[in-house]
Amino acid sequence: MQNQQTRQLTNGAMMATVFTVLLAISVYVPVLSIVSTLVLALPIAWYSAKYPWKASALFAAVCLILAFIIGGLLSLPLALILVPLGLAIGISIYYKKSKLFMFMSASLVFLMSLMVQYVASIWLFGINVLEEFSSIFDESYEQAIVMMEKLGASDAYMEDYNELVGQLQFSFETLLPVLLVLVVFSIVWVLLLILLPILKRFGIMAPKFPPFRNMKLPKSVLWYYLIVLLVSLLSEFEPGTMAYMIFINATVLLQFLLFLQGVSFYHYYIHQEGWPKWVTVLVTILAFPLQSFTSIVGIVDLGFDIRGWIKRAHEFKGK
């Protein structure tokens, strides 16, 4: 028991040192900061994967204190995102949760950290990041208008440009929630691709994602999409209202999920046919300009057991 506690304290001190070094590089070294930021959650994830949640939470709190000591307020936003993220990853490994659970919990923790920091920046410092971004966008727009006037742009061109910019700004403000969710989930996915292989190198038995070709969404996603389509046919939402924002964000999110389902089906079919990997890469790239068709493929794949038919057909050919 004494040896176990000593080892736990030793590992905690070692990982805290690693975290401090990585954080200092992330804050003060411009070029190396990119790499160090990507692996900053690694010490927390490693420690949390080896010890229960109480010890892991205490270790995470110590790391946050060290972050404030090392970098002050400058380092806290970064630490408040990546320390809870590493904690979620490590606890998921310690309690032998699935990789899907790890991915979802880490993404939710990441998203909540961003939201808490956003509210805190408004409440404590009076800084609204979205308003600052909007003001920068307006300044850039005004500078572009002045530049085009100096170049002698016609009134018709200026009117079209103003309309286009207005539509882009309205679309961004409307789709901001779903864009934020997609960006957060993408970042967490990339970080897991980086961190989990490193953890395995250090003897942590991390779970594996099944191959992307085997990804299949719950059929409830299809029902949600059909409900959204039905609502769009029976109702008219006024742009700018909360109902309109909810409807548009739900539509975009469901279409994105069905797009992923379609790409997964492409990968499954190519694998069943035994085609080379470059075909998979090419088809994945072509799926983006053919997004509408790929989403339809995802709907058909989700609604009907096409993969079962393909599998049975290949088994029949093999007999």
Side-chain angles (χ1 to χ4, degrees):
M1 185 67 179
Q2 187 70 26
N3 291 335
Q4 185 177 358
Q5 291 179 348
T6 302
R7 189 182 302 111
Q8 182 175 334
L9 290 173
T10 304
N11 288 334
M14 179 178 63
M15 287 298 108
T17 303
V18 173
F19 173 81
T20 303
V21 173
L22 291 174
L23 182 70
I25 295 174
S26 300
V27 174
Y28 299 113
V29 184
V31 179
L32 294 178
S33 61
I34 299 174
V35 178
S36 61
T37 301
L38 291 175
V39 295
L40 184 59
L42 183 64
I44 294 90
W46 184 89
Y47 187 88
S48 304
K50 292 182 70 68
Y51 300 106
W53 70 269
K54 289 184 179 180
S56 301
L58 179 61
F59 174 73
V62 171
C63 288
L64 289 176
I65 295 172
L66 290 174
F68 180 74
I69 294 173
I70 296 299
L73 293 176
L74 184 64
S75 65
L76 272 184
L78 186 63
L80 287 172
I81 291 175
L82 293 177
V83 169
L85 176 70
L87 188 63
I89 294 173
I91 289 177
S92 298
I93 295 174
Y94 180 83
Y95 291 101
K96 296 180 173 56
K97 300 296 183 179
S98 66
K99 199 166 185 179
L100 179 60
F101 178 90
M102 178 195 301
F103 174 67
M104 295 300 297
S105 61
S107 299
L108 291 175
V109 166
F110 196 114
L111 187 61
M112 290 175 60
S113 299
L114 286 178
M115 297 305 298
V116 168
Q117 291 193 53
Y118 173 70
V119 174
S121 66
I122 297 175
W123 185 52
L124 296 176
F125 306 107
I127 300 174
N128 191 322
V129 178
L130 296 180
E131 289 183 357
E132 293 292 331
F133 179 81
S134 180
S135 63
I136 293 173
F137 179 85
D138 292 338
E139 290 177 4
S140 301
Y141 168 69
E142 292 173 0
Q143 291 175 2
I145 290 293
V146 172
M147 182 66 68
M148 285 189 291
E149 289 176 350
K150 289 182 179 179
L151 295 175
S154 63
D155 293 338
Y157 181 82
M158 294 289 291
E159 185 177 350
D160 292 339
Y161 176 76
N162 291 334
E163 183 178 355
L164 176 62
V165 171
Q167 290 177 352
L168 289 175
Q169 187 172 12
F170 176 75
S171 299
F172 176 78
E173 292 174 353
T174 303
L175 295 173
L176 182 60
V178 71
L179 291 175
L180 178 62
V181 171
L182 293 178
V183 168
V184 166
F185 276 65
S186 300
I187 291 174
V188 172
W189 181 67
V190 171
L191 289 176
L192 287 177
L193 288 179
I194 296 172
L195 296 177
L196 293 185
I198 300 176
L199 288 173
K200 290 178 183 177
R201 291 274 185 175
F202 288 100
I204 302 297
M205 298 301 295
K208 294 182 179 180
F209 271 135
F212 179 67
R213 63 178 179 271
N214 293 335
M215 187 201 83
K216 199 157 187 180
L217 297 170
K219 284 196 174 183
S220 58
V221 172
L222 184 58
W223 287 108
Y224 295 148
Y225 186 67
L226 293 177
I227 291 172
V228 168
L229 288 180
L230 184 62
V231 170
S232 67
L233 294 174
L234 299 178
S235 306
E236 290 186 5
F237 299 105
E238 183 179 352
T241 61
M242 181 61 69
Y244 178 82
M245 180 178 292
I246 294 173
F247 169 74
I248 292 297
N249 281 272
T251 302
V252 172
L253 181 59
L254 290 170
Q255 287 179 344
F256 178 74
L257 292 175
L258 292 171
F259 170 77
L260 289 181
Q261 184 67 45
V263 176
S264 172
F265 175 77
Y266 295 157
H267 285 215
Y268 179 84
Y269 183 77
I270 292 170
H271 177 75
Q272 288 292 326
E273 292 293 335
W275 293 344
K277 290 185 177 181
W278 66 266
V279 178
T280 305
V281 176
L282 179 62
V283 169
T284 303
I285 295 174
L286 292 176
F288 287 92
L290 299 173
Q291 182 266 333
S292 298
F293 177 77
T294 303
S295 297
I296 293 174
V297 172
I299 292 173
V300 176
D301 179 39
L302 202 56
F304 305 94
D305 189 21
I306 300 179
R307 301 191 188 204
W309 298 350
I310 294 173
K311 185 177 180 180
R312 287 191 292 270
H314 279 80
E315 289 175 352
F316 178 78
K317 290 179 182 179
K319 291 182 180 180

